[in-house]
Amino acid sequence: MSHSSQPAFSSGRLLRACLYAVLILFAVYYLLPLFVMLVNSVKTLDEIRGGNMMSLPKNFTFEPWLTAWSSAQIGVEPTGLSPYFINSILMVVPAVTISTFLGALNGYVLTKWRFPGDKVVFGLMLFACFIPFQIVLIPMARVLGAIGLAGTTSGLVLVHVVYGLGFTTLFFRNYYAAFPDELIKAAKMDGAGFWRTFTRILLPSSGPIIVVTVIWQFTNIWNDFLFGASFADFDSMPMTVALNNLVSSSTGVKEYNVHFAGAVLAALPTLIVYVVSGRYFVRGLMAGAVKG
């Protein structure tokens, strides 16, 4: 190695070290709230009152987790968060499934079964992605009341399907845009119709974008608070609304350890989804970007 290349090599290592230091700093700052919640969720209430919320627990206990799950005071009855966790599952699974399927179908039609005005339709659906939540509250409440779904889990499913359809259509439309038209034409020549082409050719090759769409929809729907607070009644409340009620409705002693445990329980499903399939999410986004 020549003497002239040594300063460049040293400066490159220094720049990389600075970059890693900044990234580590940002990661610590981002993960600090999660650390505080986890550490204090396994402490006794007396230990939390003693201060120093950043310290590790001296008396490790899972009692706050059990209380938050099964016996915390959410409303009138001390039911814990478990019934509302089930409500969220009953809301998220069908909403994600339906919105993903309809998005794939829309992307298929808008790219492979073109019709006059298809660009206008796609533009309107794309515009729907930028409509703030607050604007649709009153119209959606009137619609849910008119069709008899106000205050039900089915009503929340409908709300999230409608609001998420613009995003799922965008994902699949961009992914299918560069799918070879020759394969679609060959399928038509072999006698394959609309549904057969969709289910036998398009869907089997849509794995990466399906993963992206499912993660996106699951995260947005599970973490939603506004729609749940606006359109659900007490029996159909999702997890996020119940968590807010847990913190707000606590009377007398504030059980901060139970509140922290409840917050972690509410965030756990999305954390698991990202830990398990986060790398597939990045791959799917890159595939969509290349194909789009």
Side-chain angles (χ1 to χ4, degrees), residues 86-102 153-154 156-158 160-161 217 221:
I86 297 174
N87 285 346
S88 289
I89 294 294
L90 294 176
M91 174 186 67
V92 168
V93 172
V96 170
T97 303
I98 295 171
S99 61
T100 300
F101 177 78
L102 292 180
T153 301
S154 299
L156 288 175
V157 170
L158 177 62
H160 287 295
V161 168
Q217 283 293 91
I221 296 173

mmCIF file of all heavy atoms in Angstrom, residues 86-102 153-154 156-158 160-161 217 221:
data_model
loop_
_atom_site.group_PDB
_atom_site.id
_atom_site.type_symbol
_atom_site.label_atom_id
_atom_site.label_comp_id
_atom_site.label_asym_id
_atom_site.label_seq_id
_atom_site.Cartn_x
_atom_site.Cartn_y
_atom_site.Cartn_z
ATOM 1 N N ILE A 86 -58.670 -9.867 21.902
ATOM 2 C CA ILE A 86 -59.448 -10.716 20.990
ATOM 3 C C ILE A 86 -60.230 -9.863 20.003
ATOM 4 O O ILE A 86 -60.326 -10.188 18.807
ATOM 5 C CB ILE A 86 -60.381 -11.636 21.795
ATOM 6 C CG1 ILE A 86 -59.554 -12.592 22.664
ATOM 7 C CG2 ILE A 86 -61.305 -12.421 20.866
ATOM 8 C CD1 ILE A 86 -60.380 -13.436 23.612
ATOM 9 N N ASN A 87 -60.805 -8.740 20.481
ATOM 10 C CA ASN A 87 -61.511 -7.833 19.576
ATOM 11 C C ASN A 87 -60.596 -7.332 18.461
ATOM 12 O O ASN A 87 -61.006 -7.241 17.296
ATOM 13 C CB ASN A 87 -62.062 -6.636 20.357
ATOM 14 C CG ASN A 87 -63.275 -6.979 21.183
ATOM 15 O OD1 ASN A 87 -63.896 -8.024 21.007
ATOM 16 N ND2 ASN A 87 -63.616 -6.109 22.119
ATOM 17 N N SER A 88 -59.369 -6.996 18.824
ATOM 18 C CA SER A 88 -58.422 -6.513 17.813
ATOM 19 C C SER A 88 -58.085 -7.602 16.804
ATOM 20 O O SER A 88 -57.967 -7.326 15.606
ATOM 21 C CB SER A 88 -57.142 -6.007 18.490
ATOM 22 O OG SER A 88 -57.369 -4.794 19.172
ATOM 23 N N ILE A 89 -57.923 -8.837 17.284
ATOM 24 C CA ILE A 89 -57.652 -9.942 16.366
ATOM 25 C C ILE A 89 -58.827 -10.134 15.406
ATOM 26 O O ILE A 89 -58.644 -10.290 14.183
ATOM 27 C CB ILE A 89 -57.384 -11.244 17.142
ATOM 28 C CG1 ILE A 89 -56.085 -11.137 17.949
ATOM 29 C CG2 ILE A 89 -57.323 -12.437 16.188
ATOM 30 C CD1 ILE A 89 -54.840 -11.029 17.104
ATOM 31 N N LEU A 90 -60.044 -10.099 15.952
ATOM 32 C CA LEU A 90 -61.240 -10.276 15.116
ATOM 33 C C LEU A 90 -61.414 -9.123 14.129
ATOM 34 O O LEU A 90 -62.074 -9.282 13.100
ATOM 35 C CB LEU A 90 -62.487 -10.385 16.005
ATOM 36 C CG LEU A 90 -62.563 -11.613 16.909
ATOM 37 C CD1 LEU A 90 -63.793 -11.548 17.805
ATOM 38 C CD2 LEU A 90 -62.582 -12.892 16.073
ATOM 39 N N MET A 91 -60.841 -7.979 14.427
ATOM 40 C CA MET A 91 -60.901 -6.840 13.519
ATOM 41 C C MET A 91 -59.769 -6.888 12.491
ATOM 42 O O MET A 91 -59.995 -6.676 11.290
ATOM 43 C CB MET A 91 -60.816 -5.543 14.323
ATOM 44 C CG MET A 91 -60.724 -4.286 13.478
ATOM 45 S SD MET A 91 -60.437 -2.798 14.474
ATOM 46 C CE MET A 91 -58.772 -3.103 15.096
ATOM 47 N N VAL A 92 -58.551 -7.184 12.947
ATOM 48 C CA VAL A 92 -57.382 -7.072 12.084
ATOM 49 C C VAL A 92 -57.343 -8.165 11.020
ATOM 50 O O VAL A 92 -57.092 -7.889 9.836
ATOM 51 C CB VAL A 92 -56.096 -7.111 12.938
ATOM 52 C CG1 VAL A 92 -54.878 -7.291 12.052
ATOM 53 C CG2 VAL A 92 -55.965 -5.838 13.745
ATOM 54 N N VAL A 93 -57.596 -9.404 11.409
ATOM 55 C CA VAL A 93 -57.426 -10.524 10.466
ATOM 56 C C VAL A 93 -58.333 -10.387 9.243
ATOM 57 O O VAL A 93 -57.847 -10.429 8.101
ATOM 58 C CB VAL A 93 -57.644 -11.869 11.188
ATOM 59 C CG1 VAL A 93 -57.657 -13.014 10.178
ATOM 60 C CG2 VAL A 93 -56.551 -12.096 12.231
ATOM 61 N N PRO A 94 -59.653 -10.212 9.399
ATOM 62 C CA PRO A 94 -60.470 -10.050 8.193
ATOM 63 C C PRO A 94 -60.182 -8.759 7.440
ATOM 64 O O PRO A 94 -60.223 -8.745 6.200
ATOM 65 C CB PRO A 94 -61.908 -10.080 8.721
ATOM 66 C CG PRO A 94 -61.809 -9.765 10.160
ATOM 67 C CD PRO A 94 -60.490 -10.257 10.616
ATOM 68 N N ALA A 95 -59.891 -7.664 8.143
ATOM 69 C CA ALA A 95 -59.619 -6.391 7.462
ATOM 70 C C ALA A 95 -58.365 -6.486 6.606
ATOM 71 O O ALA A 95 -58.347 -6.022 5.458
ATOM 72 C CB ALA A 95 -59.488 -5.271 8.486
ATOM 73 N N VAL A 96 -57.315 -7.097 7.140
ATOM 74 C CA VAL A 96 -56.079 -7.258 6.373
ATOM 75 C C VAL A 96 -56.303 -8.205 5.190
ATOM 76 O O VAL A 96 -55.865 -7.929 4.065
ATOM 77 C CB VAL A 96 -54.950 -7.783 7.281
ATOM 78 C CG1 VAL A 96 -53.732 -8.186 6.452
ATOM 79 C CG2 VAL A 96 -54.563 -6.733 8.302
ATOM 80 N N THR A 97 -56.993 -9.309 5.422
ATOM 81 C CA THR A 97 -57.225 -10.284 4.360
ATOM 82 C C THR A 97 -58.041 -9.686 3.222
ATOM 83 O O THR A 97 -57.681 -9.801 2.039
ATOM 84 C CB THR A 97 -57.953 -11.512 4.931
ATOM 85 O OG1 THR A 97 -57.185 -12.069 5.998
ATOM 86 C CG2 THR A 97 -58.152 -12.562 3.856
ATOM 87 N N ILE A 98 -59.142 -9.027 3.554
ATOM 88 C CA ILE A 98 -60.026 -8.477 2.524
ATOM 89 C C ILE A 98 -59.345 -7.340 1.771
ATOM 90 O O ILE A 98 -59.395 -7.288 0.528
ATOM 91 C CB ILE A 98 -61.351 -7.994 3.154
ATOM 92 C CG1 ILE A 98 -62.114 -9.179 3.736
ATOM 93 C CG2 ILE A 98 -62.215 -7.276 2.119
ATOM 94 C CD1 ILE A 98 -63.321 -8.773 4.568
ATOM 95 N N SER A 99 -58.710 -6.426 2.492
ATOM 96 C CA SER A 99 -58.074 -5.287 1.820
ATOM 97 C C SER A 99 -56.907 -5.732 0.947
ATOM 98 O O SER A 99 -56.683 -5.161 -0.131
ATOM 99 C CB SER A 99 -57.614 -4.252 2.845
ATOM 100 O OG SER A 99 -56.661 -4.805 3.738
ATOM 101 N N THR A 100 -56.166 -6.750 1.376
ATOM 102 C CA THR A 100 -55.065 -7.264 0.562
ATOM 103 C C THR A 100 -55.584 -7.921 -0.706
ATOM 104 O O THR A 100 -55.067 -7.687 -1.808
ATOM 105 C CB THR A 100 -54.222 -8.257 1.370
ATOM 106 O OG1 THR A 100 -53.689 -7.608 2.530
ATOM 107 C CG2 THR A 100 -53.078 -8.811 0.530
ATOM 108 N N PHE A 101 -56.627 -8.738 -0.583
ATOM 109 C CA PHE A 101 -57.190 -9.402 -1.761
ATOM 110 C C PHE A 101 -57.773 -8.394 -2.745
ATOM 111 O O PHE A 101 -57.538 -8.476 -3.951
ATOM 112 C CB PHE A 101 -58.271 -10.399 -1.326
ATOM 113 C CG PHE A 101 -58.956 -11.066 -2.487
ATOM 114 C CD1 PHE A 101 -58.345 -12.104 -3.168
ATOM 115 C CD2 PHE A 101 -60.223 -10.654 -2.895
ATOM 116 C CE1 PHE A 101 -58.976 -12.712 -4.249
ATOM 117 C CE2 PHE A 101 -60.855 -11.255 -3.965
ATOM 118 C CZ PHE A 101 -60.233 -12.295 -4.643
ATOM 119 N N LEU A 102 -58.529 -7.424 -2.233
ATOM 120 C CA LEU A 102 -59.122 -6.423 -3.119
ATOM 121 C C LEU A 102 -58.047 -5.541 -3.753
ATOM 122 O O LEU A 102 -58.174 -5.142 -4.922
ATOM 123 C CB LEU A 102 -60.112 -5.558 -2.338
ATOM 124 C CG LEU A 102 -61.382 -6.253 -1.866
ATOM 125 C CD1 LEU A 102 -62.273 -5.279 -1.093
ATOM 126 C CD2 LEU A 102 -62.159 -6.844 -3.051
ATOM 127 N N THR A 153 -67.737 -4.819 15.576
ATOM 128 C CA THR A 153 -66.434 -5.177 15.009
ATOM 129 C C THR A 153 -66.498 -5.228 13.491
ATOM 130 O O THR A 153 -65.549 -4.827 12.805
ATOM 131 C CB THR A 153 -65.973 -6.533 15.572
ATOM 132 O OG1 THR A 153 -65.891 -6.457 17.003
ATOM 133 C CG2 THR A 153 -64.614 -6.914 15.015
ATOM 134 N N SER A 154 -67.613 -5.692 12.955
ATOM 135 C CA SER A 154 -67.777 -5.728 11.491
ATOM 136 C C SER A 154 -67.720 -4.326 10.902
ATOM 137 O O SER A 154 -67.170 -4.126 9.813
ATOM 138 C CB SER A 154 -69.113 -6.386 11.128
ATOM 139 O OG SER A 154 -69.168 -7.709 11.601
ATOM 140 N N LEU A 156 -65.958 -1.817 12.120
ATOM 141 C CA LEU A 156 -64.541 -1.429 12.126
ATOM 142 C C LEU A 156 -63.786 -2.105 10.985
ATOM 143 O O LEU A 156 -62.906 -1.500 10.369
ATOM 144 C CB LEU A 156 -63.902 -1.786 13.467
ATOM 145 C CG LEU A 156 -64.312 -0.932 14.664
ATOM 146 C CD1 LEU A 156 -63.687 -1.474 15.943
ATOM 147 C CD2 LEU A 156 -63.914 0.518 14.464
ATOM 148 N N VAL A 157 -64.131 -3.360 10.707
ATOM 149 C CA VAL A 157 -63.503 -4.057 9.580
ATOM 150 C C VAL A 157 -63.795 -3.309 8.285
ATOM 151 O O VAL A 157 -62.898 -3.072 7.457
ATOM 152 C CB VAL A 157 -64.006 -5.515 9.492
ATOM 153 C CG1 VAL A 157 -63.543 -6.170 8.189
ATOM 154 C CG2 VAL A 157 -63.524 -6.317 10.690
ATOM 155 N N LEU A 158 -65.045 -2.926 8.081
ATOM 156 C CA LEU A 158 -65.425 -2.188 6.876
ATOM 157 C C LEU A 158 -64.666 -0.871 6.775
ATOM 158 O O LEU A 158 -64.167 -0.507 5.696
ATOM 159 C CB LEU A 158 -66.926 -1.939 6.870
ATOM 160 C CG LEU A 158 -67.474 -1.104 5.698
ATOM 161 C CD1 LEU A 158 -67.216 -1.810 4.374
ATOM 162 C CD2 LEU A 158 -68.964 -0.834 5.884
ATOM 163 N N HIS A 160 -61.726 -0.016 8.015
ATOM 164 C CA HIS A 160 -60.307 -0.206 7.712
ATOM 165 C C HIS A 160 -60.096 -0.759 6.300
ATOM 166 O O HIS A 160 -59.081 -0.435 5.662
ATOM 167 C CB HIS A 160 -59.676 -1.137 8.742
ATOM 168 C CG HIS A 160 -59.479 -0.504 10.081
ATOM 169 N ND1 HIS A 160 -58.618 0.553 10.285
ATOM 170 C CD2 HIS A 160 -60.054 -0.746 11.299
ATOM 171 C CE1 HIS A 160 -58.640 0.913 11.555
ATOM 172 N NE2 HIS A 160 -59.502 0.153 12.190
ATOM 173 N N VAL A 161 -61.009 -1.572 5.813
ATOM 174 C CA VAL A 161 -60.905 -2.057 4.437
ATOM 175 C C VAL A 161 -61.026 -0.887 3.462
ATOM 176 O O VAL A 161 -60.222 -0.741 2.528
ATOM 177 C CB VAL A 161 -61.976 -3.123 4.148
ATOM 178 C CG1 VAL A 161 -62.061 -3.407 2.642
ATOM 179 C CG2 VAL A 161 -61.663 -4.410 4.896
ATOM 180 N N GLN A 217 -50.732 -3.102 6.407
ATOM 181 C CA GLN A 217 -52.112 -3.054 6.872
ATOM 182 C C GLN A 217 -52.236 -3.506 8.322
ATOM 183 O O GLN A 217 -52.976 -2.904 9.111
ATOM 184 C CB GLN A 217 -53.009 -3.911 5.968
ATOM 185 C CG GLN A 217 -53.355 -3.263 4.642
ATOM 186 C CD GLN A 217 -54.226 -2.049 4.819
ATOM 187 O OE1 GLN A 217 -53.742 -0.918 4.951
ATOM 188 N NE2 GLN A 217 -55.524 -2.242 4.852
ATOM 189 N N ILE A 221 -53.711 -0.966 11.118
ATOM 190 C CA ILE A 221 -55.015 -1.295 11.708
ATOM 191 C C ILE A 221 -54.862 -1.602 13.194
ATOM 192 O O ILE A 221 -55.662 -1.159 14.020
ATOM 193 C CB ILE A 221 -55.657 -2.480 10.958
ATOM 194 C CG1 ILE A 221 -55.954 -2.075 9.510
ATOM 195 C CG2 ILE A 221 -56.939 -2.931 11.652
ATOM 196 C CD1 ILE A 221 -56.424 -3.229 8.646
#
